[in-house]
Amino acid sequence: MVIIPRPFLIKEKGGFFRRSGAVHCSGNAEFHSIMETVQQHFNGLDGGPIRCTKEESLDGESYRLDIKEDSIDLSARTSSGIYHGFQTIRQLLLSDEAIQCVHIEDQSRFAWRGFMLDTSRHFYSVAWIKKLLDALSLHHINRFHWHLTDDQGWRLPIKQYPLLTEIGSKRLECRPVWGRYSGGFYSHDDIRDIVAFAAARQIEIIPEVDFPGHASAILASYPGLGCTGGPYRVEDRHGIFEDVLCAGNDSLFDLAHAVFDTLGELFPSSFVHIGGDEVRFNRWNNCPKCQKRMHDCGLSSARALQSWITVRLATMLEERGKTAIGWDEVLEDSDNYCLPSDVIVMSWRGRTGGDAAVQRGHKVIMAPNTEGCYLDYRHSNDPEEPGQIGLSPIDVLYNFDPLNGIEAALHTQILGAQCNLWSELIYAGKIAEYMIFPRICACAEALWTPASDKSFERFKADLNVHQQRLDKLGLNQYRINA
Ligand code: ACM
Ligand code: ZN
């Protein structure tokens, strides 16, 4: 029986489920809205009656499933448990093969099972993001990290700063044949629509606004926020740029206040990702305002100045009841300038940053680019494969264990992990799908299934069945068994 991620416990019984036409869900009123959502998933699939029961003894995301010859019983304590159970049923109904009667008990290994989409380097439609969220939820992915700003485009309207979208959302297209300005942004209605769509699928959306680097789109819109005053442009090149937000200018925090207020109105999540990666210090080292700030605050290096900004941003979020997440650079020099211990560190440059962060008492989300988590990297070293920078083979991602090398007493500080898709080269959703699927299936199994039950050989064989299901959802995929 093929289910990805592989459930905690599967006991196959004698006999087969008899498909009897349309799926009909019934059960506890508390699960009514989940049943409405999944009813759409089951449109056109041959199924039968599914009964949902509330079961107080089960943990948050856990569910129990009994598939009998003439009906399916699903029980859980929470809506997310019920939703995950429905996705397991959906997988089985998406295959044409006979469904064996079975008893399943299922629970997740990690709480944070994430995926990050970069919508700055290229812009994706609301409809496509929904298609992606739906496909992610089929695999119990429960966090969508939405990278909304970067050098190549600002996608989040801020009432007090209209130029961020008027100027900052458009760049001179780098593919010269097109020779036009391209870009876009998500209206507040678009964002609310996507957040609600995700929530109905038990996915929490965590917005990221990257400060103080990756700021070309901000600087092009408001040049006064830079150290030199410009000129600046929304970047059409790839890379890491010298110009960052001026740390000596209090206007940076006026902007952050407006951004955090807007995020607070749009995103119910208790987390906000504040970026912090790849900040170049040349401008700060040569800027009188930045130098004055360092002197006034007793900061001995530009790195310490970045830590000072991180602490201020994290504190502003704390005042709004939110917890800051930062890329692992936010940890650097925090020996000298202490980062509040509730800041969550996202480890991307391998796992070194995450390992150091747990030692210092931080919670950590692993996303190491060295262990398959970067889906903009190529599937294989076949020169015909698209992708950038490195390799993320599916077996490496499958065998990735966020807890590897971390002493047992610190395991609870690892919230989980995620895959990231940077989109410099990914100019359309169909290309994104090819980079995401089926690697995200391997990630889902690495984060959900007990480590002792993982087997890449079994998973690889399972994909023969599972990729046909993803075909039915219209997803473009890399063929692992081709
Ligand atoms: C990153 O990949 N720059 C976080
Ligand atoms: Zn400056």
Side-chain angles (χ1 to χ4, degrees), residues 166-188:
E166 273 174 41
I167 293 174
S169 73
K170 300 173 195 158
R171 62 170 167 155
L172 186 66
E173 183 52 60
C174 54
R175 278 157 292 141
V177 280
W178 289 20
R180 64 181 170 91
Y181 279 90
S182 80
F185 59 86
Y186 300 97
S187 72
H188 288 187

Side-chain angles (χ1 to χ4, degrees), residues 144-189:
F144 180 71
H145 166 178
W146 193 352
H147 188 75
L148 281 161
T149 72
D150 214 301
D151 296 292
Q152 293 81 0
W154 178 279
R155 311 291 177 212
L156 171 72
I158 305 290
K159 209 167 38 229
Q160 303 90 320
Y161 292 83
L163 301 184
L164 286 172
T165 38
E166 273 174 41
I167 293 174
S169 73
K170 300 173 195 158
R171 62 170 167 155
L172 186 66
E173 183 52 60
C174 54
R175 278 157 292 141
V177 280
W178 289 20
R180 64 181 170 91
Y181 279 90
S182 80
F185 59 86
Y186 300 97
S187 72
H188 288 187
D189 281 348

Side-chain angles (χ1 to χ4, degrees), residues 277-278 327 348 374 422:
D277 57 323
E278 299 177 319
W327 296 110
W348 72 278
Y374 267 43
W422 299 103

Side-chain angles (χ1 to χ4, degrees), residues 121 208 210 214 277-278 327 329 348 369 374 420 422:
R121 274 56 178 267
E208 180 188 354
D210 204 343
H214 289 291
D277 57 323
E278 299 177 319
W327 296 110
E329 285 92 335
W348 72 278
N369 61 350
Y374 267 43
N420 298 334
W422 299 103

Side-chain angles (χ1 to χ4, degrees), residues 225-228 244-249 283-291 305:
L225 290 167
C227 290
T228 65
V244 300
L245 297 174
C246 177
N249 188 342
R283 294 288 187 254
W284 289 359
N285 285 331
N286 293 295
C287 169
K289 281 187 281 188
C290 287
Q291 291 301 307
L305 184 54

